[in-house]
Amino acid sequence: MIVLGIETSCDETAVALYDGARGLLANRVFSQTELHRRHGGVVPELASRDHIERLLPMIEGAIADAGLTPQAIDGIAYTAGPGLIGALLVGASVARSLGYAWDVPVVGIHHLEGHLLAPALEPDAPDFPFVALQVSGGHTLLAEVGGVGRYRVLGETLDDAAGEAFDKTAKLLGLDYPGGPALAALAERGRDGKFEFPRPMLDRPGLDFSFSGLKTAVVVAVRGKELDAQARADVARGFENAMVETLVAKSLRALRQTGLSVLVVAGGVGANRRLRDELTRAVAAAGGRVHFPRPEFCTDNAAMIAVAGHHRLEAGEREELPVRARARWPLDELVAPGH
Ligand code: KG4
Ligand code: ZN
């Protein structure tokens, strides 16, 4: 079965073709970073408009990349949420329209399910069950992944996502959006111990995260001060140390708590070199193993949506094509979720 995957939940327009037998046949991603850079963050309206312009040509391009025609496509999977509503609607409308035109089934995928199943795109995919640490600009969570559709959230952020904290701290230090990679580069030149920031929630049991206090501590450290280049690097280092230590400690705790030995790291912050080194070392010392999907499968992409969609479409799941709006709708027709 060949599935067309579509991802438009935030600021990447992504399209992929995945074949259950042959694997990934095409994978295109367009990042809108340049479009949003001068605004210092993602502007939802600009994101939606850009998705509208790019999505159909990218689908044509991906089909050509795979050397296929639309007739070869057996099903469509699109990101149905969570994300920016206008951006999501672009992917949803295109997916549902193409499904109708081509007469193939369509399924809406949860964006995080895509991330959690992304390791399946690698030849050395880890077996279920494993613990996943998802750290990106939009989400931060630890989940136990027992199989497709079998997820248990072990902990998540109560406020900012890890990538968001990197980006906000980078902004405070005068670095360009998205500042995570620039902050990491600056931290390389920083010295340990010059700035000690709090390790959020490490002293408490549980696996939730909170990064707003860490961000505030950085604000307090830099506000009203003329920091020279070395001091800025020291602040970056102090921030990265606190962040890495927190993510490593919680990941180890999650492995201990579940009794599992494999940790999968996904999301843009997973590109952070010190996080990778420290996690690899700490998990190995605890007798486990860390799996890092390659960067293009860690950050937002449609290959992961196509893989998740492939599992669900093969199992017979599909959305009804009519989009329903009802002028009259008795309240007592509603049923509780899951019934
Ligand atoms: O997964 P991703 O590409 O997009 C979503 O948020 O969905 O993650 C982007 C985030 C940004 O916040 C970016 O600053 C951060 O990942 N990031 C990094 C590094 N590379 C990307 N943060 C720290 N160190 C890095 N090397
Ligand atoms: Zn994502």
Side-chain angles (χ1 to χ4, degrees):
M1 177 178 224
I2 297 181
V3 176
L4 168 66
I6 296 174
E7 155 65 42
T8 62
S9 66
C10 188
D11 60 343
E12 267 93 22
T13 315
V15 172
L17 285 163
Y18 178 82
D19 181 355
R22 287 182 294 160
L24 198 58
L25 304 179
N27 188 31
R28 287 191 173 208
V29 181
F30 177 83
S31 167
Q32 301 177 350
T33 303
E34 284 310 315
L35 178 69
H36 301 292
R37 192 189 300 279
R38 69 191 176 93
H39 303 285
V42 177
V43 182
E45 268 313 307
L46 295 181
S48 328
R49 286 182 210 177
D50 207 62
H51 288 309
I52 291 175
E53 287 183 24
R54 291 188 197 275
L55 187 53
L56 279 172
M58 282 180 68
I59 291 172
E60 285 173 343
I63 294 172
D65 290 348
L68 297 175
T69 60
Q71 286 73 36
I73 293 167
D74 302 302
I76 303 175
Y78 68 96
T79 303
L84 303 172
I85 191 66
L88 288 166
L89 279 170
V90 177
S93 326
V94 168
R96 298 287 292 268
S97 308
L98 289 178
Y100 188 66
W102 294 342
D103 195 20
V104 294
V106 179
V107 68
I109 298 296
H110 194 293
H111 181 77
L112 285 177
E113 170 164 73
H115 277 300
L116 296 179
L117 298 181
L121 289 160
E122 295 288 9
D124 61 339
D127 291 331
F128 299 122
F130 54 77
V131 170
L133 171 67
Q134 171 68 35
V135 273
S136 57
H139 354 267
T140 296
L141 61 82
L142 276 162
E144 181 179 344
V145 181
V148 178
R150 296 180 53 216
Y151 316 115
R152 192 161 64 91
V153 175
L154 302 168
E156 57 195 325
T157 184
L158 304 177
D159 39 59
D160 292 349
E164 194 179 356
F166 263 98
D167 294 341
K168 287 179 175 171
T169 303
K171 201 169 182 178
L172 278 172
L173 294 172
L175 303 169
D176 258 359
Y177 166 87
L183 186 123
L186 187 60
E188 293 286 327
R189 300 196 296 276
R191 296 165 295 181
D192 288 329
K194 292 290 172 185
F195 287 88
E196 284 293 342
F197 296 118
R199 273 64 174 148
M201 304 186 58
L202 267 197
D203 49 343
R204 285 187 237 168
L207 293 165
D208 285 334
F209 303 93
S210 164
F211 296 115
S212 66
L214 173 56
K215 184 190 61 197
T216 306
V218 178
V219 172
V220 170
V222 306
R223 191 173 27 201
K225 301 201 180 78
E226 279 294 325
L227 296 181
D228 63 15
Q230 183 61 55
R232 285 169 62 247
D234 293 340
V235 170
R237 182 77 176 194
F239 168 84
E240 196 182 54
N241 284 347
M243 184 60 106
V244 167
E245 203 180 297
T246 304
L247 293 174
V248 170
K250 294 266 159 131
S251 300
L252 288 177
R253 209 181 273 180
L255 289 172
R256 260 201 315 276
Q257 190 175 306
T258 55
L260 297 176
S261 61
V262 177
L263 178 74
V264 172
V265 182
V269 182
N272 185 277
R273 204 185 53 78
R274 294 200 41 239
L275 178 65
R276 294 172 84 99
D277 292 350
E278 293 294 314
L279 269 179
T280 305
R281 200 185 45 72
V283 173
R289 186 168 69 83
V290 190
H291 177 92
F292 297 95
R294 78 187 81 160
E296 64 258 45
F297 297 151
C298 275
T299 54
D300 284 351
N301 66 85
M304 66 186 194
I305 302 301
V307 164
H310 185 269
H311 282 294
R312 293 194 172 274
L313 290 165
E314 285 258 281
E317 221 174 273
R318 46 260 293 109
E319 285 185 359
E320 288 176 45
L321 280 176
V323 177
R324 224 178 288 141
R326 296 177 57 179
R328 290 166 194 276
W329 193 353
L331 189 61
D332 57 13
E333 281 183 18
L334 297 189
V335 293
H339 288 78

